[in-house]
């Protein structure tokens, strides 16, 4: 081990140990006040939640002794902005950086007596649901600096709403949930290219059914035998000599990822030209088997006779997970990969680096995780980054993927025919890296080694530029004038490629972010001024395309493809970001998210594809899975795109986006110019559309349960749209609502009545989103339905919370004015959704 590695390792161990030891002492000294405080957040009555509402933090002293509040400050993360001039004058609420706010108690001798409360009112920008409220609350002593988390905190899920607003909402839900009668569920998700099915004729699959497999497909066949072993009582046989059985053969005439699946009286025949095709045929066979037969008591499965010829619509069928804002474990990542594979998704975009966290071990630069994966209230010492998105006062250990973890993820994905695409954010969204490399700089400067100190430095300490990023950071952008910035990126790419090589999974493409670099950056950096002069640049805006060109060359010189967000293919000439046609043939792959209805960029994906960029359509309006499903205050998620329910996800027409685009992000009718006179995909542009992707940003997703509830079942709809052939309702210039509803009904019946029941079984069960109900009153009847079928609704009319022993809803129930009706949805395992009051 070199001296450099010894010093770096020592830095990592010492920094983390000191952080954990310090916070233990912190917790002991400040636990008294934290244990005595009960905090509740709510929106005040009489407020319009979307128009600068007043909300309240209610502090209650639940202890037996008084609390002197002036000695302390209250800190929290809050994704909205707060008007500091509209706060009760006894207090001050100051924005520190990012989403971190500090409440100071200004009134002299402000004492909170035992069992008493104090209300802190403040005005904020519009709210949409309870997850817009403060999170990650902690108290900090003003003298000693000791901090600890407040454990007794509640954000109320209710908001001011008139009876008319409630009734209109439930009626809207009911109409949204309505399905077309007489439509059969599709047999397989995702929908195959061609399927002929005869349910009157069967093949009986039983223990002893033979399995004959081409040697090349042995690893794929193991997934089939494991399925029957784990989820049924059927044991397949490899004994030769039987006529009827399962065969998996190679057919070189088929395209990559394609397969034929035929079931007749003689058995099951699968043909494919490659491993992926054979694997996907097995997934289709599993989808064909009803969930009721997924149990150990099953010794015979009667399969309908089918003939399937199937190929994917797109070669890129992806999902992006943000594990930077809130960390999610290796075990959870593997669970997600299992379901991605089951629904034929093949690209896992791993967003594990951002402002709020660096989540991958880089052995030669341990500061990246020692500092960048360590969020603490003691961040001022430079050995941690500040709390964000509910992380709280105390640093949590091991909030990153070790090299061994990442290797396991790579191998696991590869076995399931999923490519992992790692993302390293640059130049913006880079605060965790910037702070880590600044800590490294300080360490080596104290050691007297200036060369090492500056080797990977990412920021210019003399830069006086003023900016505010999309997430309200003022110090999160790398400096393109520093040679050390490029040296850092080169080092990171080499390290990641080395890990891929260790896993036996060669790195082919790396994502370098490139999104949301705020206006104002670099304008007052002396090093940027010198850089501009050296490169004959007159306008600081032109630093951007030069930087993109340079990092693209850096990546391509390593034999890799660079991907990034849409801004990599754009530039600002003084009138906002526009398509940069000059780099259209540069080989950059773009993830294009911005198509927000009514905001002018509805055709951006098409303009970029037409200009020559390879595009992955990551439609925020349809496929951002961190968005709230409904305009219900109790429904979690972001809202800046509007609501994204399953219907909206399924209705995405990747090559004809405008066909059903009629509403903006608030549900209001769009002006026709939002979907007319827009650029359509050219023939060349269609060739450049690689596929589609769903994305989950984790600012509001701190637990694995919430993660799964936000992702599923919407990701299954994305998988169907990515694989299934173009549907009739997607074509032409006018939208046929009836044809669309027929398609949607067929999909959602298969989803709700069968596929989600399988998610109850796979990997000990997934926490998919429980459906919510719609209610429509007609005379003395209440008509009830759910977001998707296959779930039971129970109700009470006496104020008691419904259980599975309560009255069962069967479409309609009698309604009597003046009674209080409570509803609750249950699945077959007894898991329930929210209690709904009507």
């Amino acid at each position: 081990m070199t001296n450099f590695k010894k010093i770096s390792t020592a830095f990592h161990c010492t920094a983390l140990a000191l952080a954990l030891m310090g916070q233990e002492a912190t917790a002991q000294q400040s636990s008294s006040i934290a244990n005595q405080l009960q905090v509740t957040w709510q929106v005040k009555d009489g407020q319009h939640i979307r128009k600068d509402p007043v909300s309240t933090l209610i502090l209650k002293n639940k202890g037996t002794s008084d609390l002197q509040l002036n000695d302390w400050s209250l800190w929290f993360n809050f994704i909205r902005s707060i008007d500091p001039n509209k706060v009760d004058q006894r207090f001050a609420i100051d924005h520190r950086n990012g989403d971190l706010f500090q409440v100071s108690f200004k009134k002299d001798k402000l004492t909170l007596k035992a069992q008493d409360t104090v209300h802190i009112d403040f005005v904020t920008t519009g709210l949409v649901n309870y997850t817009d409220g403060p999170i990650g609350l902690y108290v900090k002593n003003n003298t000693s600096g000791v901090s600890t988390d407040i454990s007794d905190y509640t954000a109320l899920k209710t908001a001011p709403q008139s009876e008319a607003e409630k009734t209109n909402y439930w009626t809207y839900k009911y109409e949204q949930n309505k399905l077309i009668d007489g439509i059969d569920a599709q047999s397989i998700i995702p929908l195959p290219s061609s399927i002929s099915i005869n349910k009157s004729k069967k093949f009986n699959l039983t223990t002893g059914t033979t399995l004959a497999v081409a040697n090349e497909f042995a690893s794929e066949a193991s997934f089939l035998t494991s399925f029957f072993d784990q989820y049924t009582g059927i044991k397949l046989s490899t004994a030769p000599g039987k006529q009827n059985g399962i065969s998996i053969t190679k057919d070189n005439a088929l395209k990559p990822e394609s397969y034929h699946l035929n079931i007749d009286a003689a058995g099951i025949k699968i043909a494919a030209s490659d491993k992926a095709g054979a694997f996907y045929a097995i997934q289709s066979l599993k989808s064909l088997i009803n969930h009721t037969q997924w149990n150990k008591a099953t010794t015979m499965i009667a399969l309908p006779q089918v003939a399937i010829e199937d190929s994917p619509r797109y070669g890129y069928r992806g999902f992006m997970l943000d594990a930077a804002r809130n960390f999610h474990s290796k075990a959870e990542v593997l669970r997600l990969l299992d379901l991605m594979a089951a629904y034929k998704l093949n690209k896992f975009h791993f967003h594990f680096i951002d402002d709020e966290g660096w989540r991958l071990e880089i052995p030669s630069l341990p500061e990246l995780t020692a500092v960048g994966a360590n969020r603490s209230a003691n961040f001022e010492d430079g050995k941690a980054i500040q709390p964000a998105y509910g992380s709280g006062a105390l640093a949590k250990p091991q909030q990153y993927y070790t090299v061994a973890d990442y290797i396991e993820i790579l191998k696991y994905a590869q076995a399931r025919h999923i490519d992992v695409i790692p993302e390293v954010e640059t130049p913006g969204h880079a605060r965790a890296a910037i702070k880590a490399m600044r800590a490294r700089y300080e360490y080596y400067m104290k050691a007297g080694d200036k060369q090492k100190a500056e080797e990977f430095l990412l920021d210019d300490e003399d830069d006086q530029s003023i900016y505010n990023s999309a997430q309200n950071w003022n110090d999160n952008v790398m400096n393109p004038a520093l040679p050390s910035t490029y040296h850092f990126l080169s080092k990171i790419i080499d390290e990641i490629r080395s890990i891929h090589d260790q896993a036996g999974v060669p790195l082919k493409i790396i994502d370098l972010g490139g999104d949301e670099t705020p206006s104002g950056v670099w304008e007052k950096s002396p090093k940027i001024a010198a850089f501009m002069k050296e490169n004959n640049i007159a306008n600081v805006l032109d630093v951007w395309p030069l930087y993109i060109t340079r990092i693209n060359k850096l990546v391509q010189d390593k034999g890799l493809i660079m991907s990034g967000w849409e801004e990599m293919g754009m530039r600002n000439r003084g009138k906002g970001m526009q398509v940069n046609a000059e780099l259209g043939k540069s080989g950059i792959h773009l993830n294009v998210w911005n198509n927000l209805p009514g905001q002018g960029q509805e055709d951006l994906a098409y303009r970029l594809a037409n200009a020559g960029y390879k595009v992955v359509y990551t439609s925020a309006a349809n496929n951002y899975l961190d968005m709230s499903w409904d305009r219900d205050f109790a429904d979690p998620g972001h809202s800046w795109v509007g609501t994204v329910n399953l219907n909206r996800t399924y209705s995405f027409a990747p090559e004809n986006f405008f066909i059903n685009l009629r509403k903006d992000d608030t549900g209001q009718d769009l002006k026709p110019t939002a979907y007319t006179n827009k650029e359509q995909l050219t023939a060349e542009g269609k060739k450049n559309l690689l596929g589609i992707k769903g994305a989950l940003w984790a600012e509001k997703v701190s637990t694995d349960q919430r993660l799964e509830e936000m992702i599923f079942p919407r990701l299954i709809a994305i998988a169907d749209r990515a694989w299934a052939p173009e549907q009739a309702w997607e074509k032409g210039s006018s939208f046929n609502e009836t044809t669309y509803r027929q398609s949607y009904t067929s999909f959602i019946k298969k989803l709700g009545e069968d596929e989600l029941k399988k998610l109850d079984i796979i990997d000990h069960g997934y926490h998919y989103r429980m459906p919510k109900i719609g209610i429509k009153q007609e005379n003395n009847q209440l008509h009830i339905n759910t977001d998707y079928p296959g779930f039971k609704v129970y109700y009470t009319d006496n104020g008691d919370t419904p259980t599975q022993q309560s009255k069962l809803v069967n479409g309609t129930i009698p309604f009597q004015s003046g009674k209080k009706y409570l509803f609750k949805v249950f699945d077959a395992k007894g898991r329930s959704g929210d209690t709904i009051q009507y």
Side-chain angles (χ1 to χ4, degrees), residues 564-566 590-594 604-606 608 615-620:
W565 296 98
E566 63 204 35
L590 298 178
N591 304 301
V592 183
W593 62 267
N594 190 358
L604 179 58
Y606 299 162
L608 287 164
V615 166
V616 177
Y617 204 164
T618 315
S619 170

Side-chain angles (χ1 to χ4, degrees), residues 423-439:
E423 181 178 358
V424 179
E425 281 277 18
T426 185
H429 285 285
R431 190 175 188 273
I434 290 168
K435 296 301 179 185
M437 292 301 94
R438 175 57 63 177

Side-chain angles (χ1 to χ4, degrees), residues 449-467:
D449 193 337
K450 184 178 180 182
Q451 183 178 353
K452 282 239 184 285
E454 295 179 344
E455 185 179 8
F456 297 107
L457 196 61
L458 301 174
D459 62 326
D460 172 10
E461 64 182 351
D462 296 323
D463 187 354
Q464 299 298 309
S465 302
I466 298 173
Y467 60 86

Side-chain angles (χ1 to χ4, degrees), residues 173-247:
K173 282 286 296 177
Y174 182 85
E175 296 298 331
Q176 283 279 307
N177 294 342
K178 284 173 66 175
L179 302 177
I180 295 180
D181 294 333
I183 301 295
D184 291 333
Q186 66 186 60
S187 299
I188 293 169
I189 294 179
L191 183 69
S193 304
S194 171
I195 179 170
S196 173
I197 187 164
N198 185 344
K199 294 182 179 180
S200 66
K201 294 183 178 182
K202 308 286 185 179
F203 168 71
N204 293 331
L205 192 155
T206 65
T207 289
T209 296
T210 58
L211 175 62
V213 183
N215 289 337
E216 183 178 338
F217 300 146
S219 57
E220 282 60 46
S222 68
F223 284 96
L224 183 60
T225 55
S226 293
F227 163 72
F228 285 115
D229 288 346
Q230 188 172 359
Y231 297 114
T232 77
I234 294 173
K235 303 292 182 184
L236 300 180
S237 170
T238 56
K242 292 190 177 182
Q243 294 294 315
N244 297 347
I246 304 171
S247 66

Side-chain angles (χ1 to χ4, degrees), residues 508-511 552 555-556 559-563 587-589:
K508 300 175 183 177
I509 182 169
I510 190 161
D511 195 291
N552 186 40
V555 170
Q556 291 183 346
L560 303 173
I561 295 170
M562 182 178 80
S563 68
I588 300 173
H589 291 194

Side-chain angles (χ1 to χ4, degrees), residues 161-174 631 775 838:
Q161 194 176 31
S162 70
E163 289 303 316
E165 287 173 327
K166 291 178 184 178
T167 300
N168 290 341
Y169 171 74
W170 297 123
T171 302
Y172 154 82
K173 282 286 296 177
Y174 182 85
R631 57 175 192 258
I775 308 171
Y838 185 83

Side-chain angles (χ1 to χ4, degrees), residues 348-382:
F348 179 50
H349 178 167
F350 208 174
H351 183 95
F352 44 42
I353 294 163
D354 212 299
D355 294 319
E356 299 83 8
W358 183 287
R359 309 297 187 181
L360 180 65
E361 178 187 15
I362 301 296
S364 64
L365 293 173
E367 304 87 353
L368 287 169
T369 47
V371 176
N374 178 21
R375 299 198 292 218
S376 167
N378 298 323
F379 61 90
E380 291 95 342
D381 64 7

Side-chain angles (χ1 to χ4, degrees), residues 655-667:
E655 296 174 29
N656 196 7
F657 178 64
F658 315 112
I659 192 168
N660 56 11
L661 187 67
R662 297 297 179 269
K663 302 285 186 180
D664 67 12
D665 60 358
T666 67

